[in-house]
Amino acid sequence: GSKFGDLDEKEYVYKEPAITKLPEISHRLEGFYGQCFGEDAVEVIKDSAPVDKRKLDPNKAYIQITFVEPYFDEYEMKDRVTYFEKNFNLRYFMYTTPFTLDGRPRGDLSEQHKRKTILTTMHAFPYIKTRISVIQKQEGPLEVAQ
């Protein structure tokens, strides 16, 4: 929201230790921005589905958090064999969003689909900072959930 100023609608990928859980990160960010804007003015959106800005309260600061994982094309997977290669020089990340063709986020297994979203960061991980801005976002192919 507008409370974020020039950070409004910006997306970032955070690098955290492997043992860090999503609720822990969510709680930490909610606390940090709660101190900045007031606890009642911050709300965390815990769903990766697209957000309709018209339905949001302009007086609140919204943070949307989801889990991402490194993304590799098929040809890139052949070159990234070792643990080091799979965790170094990472700029592409992916998350999936469940949906049904009639617009609901979830439904019967026969109706369920997944939307793949691929993010490109400004710099590659590992990096000096634990947060890198997203410079490109593309929705990948739709898949039938299995």
Side-chain angles (χ1 to χ4, degrees), residues 89-114:
N89 199 24
L90 303 175
R91 288 194 63 211
Y92 302 99
F93 298 88
M94 182 208 53
Y95 66 89
T96 57
T97 308
F99 73 99
T100 60
L101 295 177
D102 63 6
R104 293 175 296 138
R106 289 174 180 74
D108 291 336
L109 190 56
S110 61
E111 305 172 320
Q112 193 68 53
H113 292 73
K114 293 190 296 186

Side-chain angles (χ1 to χ4, degrees), residues 13 42 47 51 66 70 84 87 91 99 104 120 122 131 135 142-143 145:
V13 172
V42 177
D47 191 357
V51 176
T66 192
F84 175 80
N87 290 279
R91 288 194 63 211
F99 73 99
R104 293 175 296 138
T120 306
M122 183 178 289
R131 172 178 100 164
I135 57 171
L142 306 179
E143 302 173 1

